[in-house]
Amino acid sequence: MTSVVLRPWQAGDLWILRAANAPEMTDHLGGPETDEKVQERHRRYLDGWVSGDSQMYSIQLRAEAGTAAAAEAHSAGVIGFWPRTWHGEEVYETGWGVLPEFQGRGVAIAALRELIAELRSAAESDPPMGSVHAYPSVDHPASNAICRRGGFTLLGECDFEYPPGQRMRCNDWYLPL
């Protein structure tokens, strides 16, 4: 089983966003962004998206226990959550990106499970939101499979404007906290 640790986003993580800004990683999100936009996104991640209600993480892939590399972690991508109003309700939205060299190894589902555990733990002490949603493109089978394997329920299709000025057809996946 893939073992990951979610490390809060750090100044040195800009390279992850640049690596993830490739056509194969952004095909379902409207394509690559300019470097200026990537740097702007990095600043938002560092600032907790200003409100402090959002958190982005570097997905740290741990080597298998008992190996010489077990003490090292490798950044495999990004995952996080942020508040959004959805159908008049305050919810969390989540999103992730796993770098190509780590895809197909269970990294995204392991990171999503860690994130959900963290959100549920926080909700027990201070229930800010009652659910988390993910909105992958209907044409992105891998992200939709991650939602299904993560225990989310498919509520149906919806439209988003993302990036600004471009319509995107998504699935609305729901998980109560």
Side-chain angles (χ1 to χ4, degrees):
M1 179 174 199
T2 301
S3 175
V4 300
V5 174
L6 303 184
R7 179 182 45 75
W9 199 255
Q10 298 177 356
D13 290 335
L14 175 60
W15 74 268
I16 300 169
L17 292 181
R18 285 184 168 141
N21 194 39
E24 65 272 17
M25 291 283 298
T26 60
D27 183 46
H28 298 284
L29 299 171
E33 297 177 306
T34 65
D35 193 59
E36 180 180 300
K37 291 281 189 187
V38 171
Q39 289 182 42
E40 181 182 305
R41 178 184 302 277
H42 177 63
R43 283 189 297 276
R44 284 195 320 266
Y45 287 7
L46 286 172
D47 293 341
W49 292 13
V50 182
S51 69
D53 293 337
S54 303
Q55 180 64 59
M56 297 306 288
Y57 300 92
S58 167
I59 302 169
Q60 300 290 299
L61 178 63
R62 296 261 181 218
E64 300 230 1
T67 66
E72 297 179 27
H74 300 282
S75 295
V78 60
I79 192 167
F81 65 89
W82 51 94
R84 94 161 14 257
T85 302
W86 185 242
H87 299 303
E89 179 185 354
E90 295 301 311
V91 302
Y92 283 124
E93 180 178 347
T94 186
W96 55 85
V98 174
L99 299 174
E101 61 268 32
F102 298 104
Q103 291 177 6
R105 296 168 48 183
V107 173
I109 188 64
L112 182 59
R113 287 177 177 152
E114 288 292 320
L115 184 78
I116 291 166
E118 182 174 312
L119 287 171
R120 283 186 168 151
S121 177
E124 287 176 7
S125 60
D126 182 24
M129 310 285 181
S131 65
V132 60
H133 289 251
Y135 305 98
S137 168
V138 295
D139 297 323
H140 197 300
S143 284
N144 283 286
I146 290 163
C147 291
R148 189 175 305 104
R149 289 183 57 206
F152 284 68
T153 299
L154 178 60
L155 297 180
E157 293 185 10
C158 58
D159 286 318
F160 272 77
E161 183 179 359
Y162 189 87
Q166 185 172 324
R167 300 303 287 169
M168 180 176 165
R169 191 74 178 155
C170 300
N171 281 322
D172 179 6
W173 290 92
Y174 160 85
L175 182 73
L177 294 174

